[in-house]
Amino acid sequence: MTANTSANASPTRLLVLGGTEFVGRATVEAGLARGWDVTVLNRGTKPAPKGARALVGDRTAPGGLAALEGGAWDLVVDTWSHGPRAVRDAAEALKERAERYVYVSTCSVYAWPRAAGTGVEAPLVAGDPDAEARDYPSDKRGGELAVERTFGAERALFARAGLILGPYENVGRLPWWLLRMRRGGEVLAPGPRELPLAYIDARDLAQWLLDAGAAGRSGPYDLVSPSGHTTMGEFLETCRAVTGSDAVLRWLSPEQVEAAGIEPWTELPVWCPPGEMHGAMHTADVSRTVAAGLRCRPVGETVADTWGWVRDGLGEVMPGRTNPRAALGLEAGKEAEALEGVG
C-alpha cells in the first residue's frame, strides 16, 4: 500500500468518487472545511466545489479510472448507486492506493419488510459484486460486497443511510414540500401529526463519514436519526414557516389518505402511514451509530437551509411533475379532489 498514514493517524487525503451532487458534494465540502487535501473523480460534467482537486474519468468506461494512477489517499468515499461492477472496479483500482474505503449504502439492503426497531442485525437482500445494474437494494448490497471482497472487513466501512434530506437534495422530497407550501392554499397534511420521523441531513451524514473513517471504524452502520427526531406535524409546520407561506394545513388520517388513492412516500414524500412501512422506514435502532458519534442538527436548520438553496435558485433539480428525475409529489388536482372528498 502506498498510503503513508497508519490506522491511528488522522487522514488528510480524501478521495470522493463523484463529489458534485448531494451527499458527495456535502462530503467534499466537509473535508475542505477541515483543511483536508480533497480530490474528486468524476466525468467532469459539473464543477467540483472550489478548493478540491478534480480528476476526470468515467468509471463505467474502459480505462475510466486511469486518472487515479499514481495517487494515494487515506480515505475514499463512494456514493455509487447503480451496477456493483463500478464499485468493484474502483475498489480494485484503489486497493493499493487507499487506506480505507467508505461506501455510502442504504437501509434498503435489508430484506423487506424490515422489522420495526431493528439494527444492522436485520436480514439482508442478496447481492452480486460482479453484477450489472438490477435494482436499488441488490445493487447497493452488491457494492458492499465488492468493497469488502477487495478491502477486507477491517478496511471497509458501510454507511447504510436512511432518508437523506438537506441542501442539494436532487431527489426532490423536501424541496417538493417547500415549494408546495410556498404555493399556499389548503395543503393536504397526512397524519397523524405526532407521527415520528427519522432522517439524516446530508451534512451530518458527511461529518459522520469523515469522523468514522478517521477513527478507523469498519463494518455496517445505519445512518439515520433516532426515530422521533421530528414529527410529521413539526416537519410540515417548519416547511410552512420558513417559506413565509399562508398555507393552511388540512390534516387527513391515514385511512382518508388511503381512501383517496394517494401513495405514501412518492405522492406524499417522507410520509409513511403507521404500520409495517413506517416501522421499516422510520424506527431503526441506531444506538450503535449514535455511540459512534452521530449528531443530528435540528429539523429547523435542515428545512431552512434547504429552502435557502431552492429559493436562491442554486438547485439544478427543481422537483415537479415535469422533471423526470424528481417525479414526486401530489398533483394539484388530485390533492384538491381528496380534500373536497373529506369536506
Side-chain angles (χ1 to χ4, degrees):
M1 180 178 302
T2 59
N4 61 13
T5 58
S6 70
N8 295 322
S10 295
T12 57
R13 296 171 300 175
L14 170 67
L15 170 65
V16 180
L17 301 178
T20 62
E21 293 189 354
F22 204 19
V23 174
R25 186 184 185 98
T27 303
V28 171
E29 291 179 350
L32 292 171
R34 297 176 181 215
W36 289 9
D37 179 4
V38 182
T39 302
V40 300
L41 173 77
N42 53 49
R43 290 175 295 172
T45 56
K46 295 181 181 180
K50 186 177 180 180
R53 180 171 57 257
L55 301 178
V56 177
D58 182 350
R59 63 190 298 174
T60 65
L65 298 172
L68 298 176
E69 295 176 5
W73 294 275
D74 303 296
L75 192 65
V76 177
V77 175
D78 187 356
T79 63
W80 186 257
S81 297
H82 306 292
R85 282 188 177 187
V87 181
R88 176 200 67 187
D89 293 346
E92 280 291 329
L94 290 163
K95 65 182 178 181
E96 300 297 333
R97 304 184 183 280
E99 182 71 32
R100 186 165 302 276
Y101 200 115
V102 181
Y103 182 58
V104 181
S105 187
T106 171
C107 288
S108 295
V109 298
Y110 296 111
W112 186 267
R114 183 184 184 181
T118 55
V120 296
E121 76 283 355
L124 300 167
V125 300
D128 180 356
D130 301 311
E132 298 284 3
R134 293 186 295 184
D135 59 79
Y136 184 65
S138 63
D139 288 347
K140 280 292 197 180
R141 179 58 183 150
E144 290 184 354
L145 293 171
V147 175
E148 186 172 49
R149 182 172 69 184
T150 303
F151 272 73
E154 296 303 315
R155 295 170 57 212
L157 175 63
F158 307 130
R160 292 174 178 164
L163 170 63
I164 310 174
L165 303 176
Y168 306 113
E169 187 208 326
N170 55 6
V171 181
R173 295 186 176 102
L174 176 51
W176 183 85
W177 277 114
L178 289 164
L179 291 172
R180 175 62 193 92
M181 291 296 177
R182 186 60 172 168
R183 196 167 78 237
E186 292 192 333
V187 176
L188 192 159
R193 299 181 195 218
E194 65 275 11
L195 187 71
L197 301 183
Y199 69 94
I200 189 164
D201 188 299
R203 296 165 295 179
D204 297 331
L205 171 56
Q207 294 291 354
W208 189 91
L209 296 176
L210 301 189
D211 287 343
R217 296 191 183 277
S218 60
Y221 288 81
D222 287 339
L223 264 295
V224 70
S225 70
S227 184
H229 183 67
T230 190
T231 63
M232 199 67 204
E234 182 183 32
F235 175 71
L236 294 186
E237 291 286 0
T238 304
C239 288
R240 179 172 64 176
V242 303
T243 58
S245 173
D246 61 358
V248 176
L249 300 182
R250 288 280 306 279
W251 288 95
L252 271 62
S253 69
E255 293 76 18
Q256 289 171 316
V257 173
E258 182 181 12
I262 297 171
E263 292 293 326
W265 194 253
T266 53
E267 290 187 297
L268 292 173
V270 176
W271 180 77
C272 301
E276 182 178 85
M277 186 175 184
H278 180 269
M281 300 299 296
H282 288 288
T283 70
D285 176 9
V286 293
S287 56
R288 181 169 181 262
T289 314
V290 171
L294 176 64
R295 300 293 180 267
C296 297
R297 69 192 67 205
V299 65
E301 186 175 337
T302 297
V303 173
D305 290 350
T306 304
W307 174 238
W309 169 65
V310 172
R311 179 198 58 213
D312 295 342
L314 299 178
E316 294 184 10
V317 177
M318 300 300 285
R321 288 293 181 181
T322 59
N323 189 331
R325 291 189 62 198
L328 297 171
L330 189 57
E331 292 179 332
K334 191 171 183 179
E335 179 185 32
E337 183 178 348
L339 292 174
E340 182 179 352
V342 297

